Amino acid sequence: MAEYRVAREGDLAEGEKRVFVAGGVEIGLFRLDGRFIAWRNACPHQGGPVCQGRIFRRVIAEAGETGRPAGRRYHERDVNIVCPWHGAEFDIRTGVHVGSGLLRLAPVATLLRDGAVHVAIADEVEHGDGA
Ligand code: FES
């Protein structure tokens, strides 16, 4: 496990994100509720740069008395990111796909120390050709 200093605490305002490379791994760093959350920038669908997608509050579709769509609104707290390749949508706080709990972003540990944000990257396992 290797640790990398990636930002100062004040570099990201509430609700902002930054994508960077640390230890050869692309990472998306988000600030929500005053804390830092990091995910690998690889969509579990087909590997797209999910952390470079758009951020917005979760949309709640509302049905009328007949069951037909009657409008929509934005959730007060839930914030999602949408993968720019095919539109898969993930809760930024949990990394879980909003439509399927089977798809999840890969977490990256964050640590706030001395006013700086650090991430911990697991050492990659080298795979030989088996020869
Ligand atoms: S690669 Fe992200 S939605 Fe397909």
Side-chain angles (χ1 to χ4, degrees), residues 11-131:
D11 287 347
L12 275 79
E14 177 69 18
E16 285 189 338
K17 70 171 176 182
R18 175 177 289 180
V19 176
F20 56 86
V21 176
V25 177
E26 280 192 39
I27 295 168
L29 178 69
F30 302 83
R31 186 171 194 171
L32 282 178
D33 311 321
R35 66 187 181 100
F36 293 92
I37 302 165
W39 304 105
R40 287 195 178 215
N41 189 25
C43 181
H45 177 228
Q46 290 184 355
V50 60
C51 297
Q52 292 167 263
R54 293 188 61 190
I55 295 172
F56 62 90
R57 293 188 184 277
R58 181 165 62 91
V59 174
I60 300 172
E62 297 176 329
E65 290 180 18
T66 62
R68 299 180 61 107
R72 59 185 174 186
R73 61 184 170 86
Y74 292 102
H75 193 276
E76 290 182 18
R77 183 174 184 273
D78 292 355
V79 183
N80 297 341
I81 189 159
V82 179
C83 180
W85 279 12
H86 312 103
E89 191 172 326
F90 301 87
D91 182 314
I92 293 176
R93 288 184 179 88
T94 65
V96 177
H97 185 273
V98 298
S100 166
L102 299 176
L103 288 178
R104 294 172 179 261
L105 301 178
V108 175
T110 62
L111 173 68
L112 190 59
R113 181 189 310 131
D114 299 328
V117 183
H118 299 251
V119 294
I121 307 294
D123 298 326
E124 296 293 325
V125 176
E126 295 287 331
H127 296 285
D129 60 6

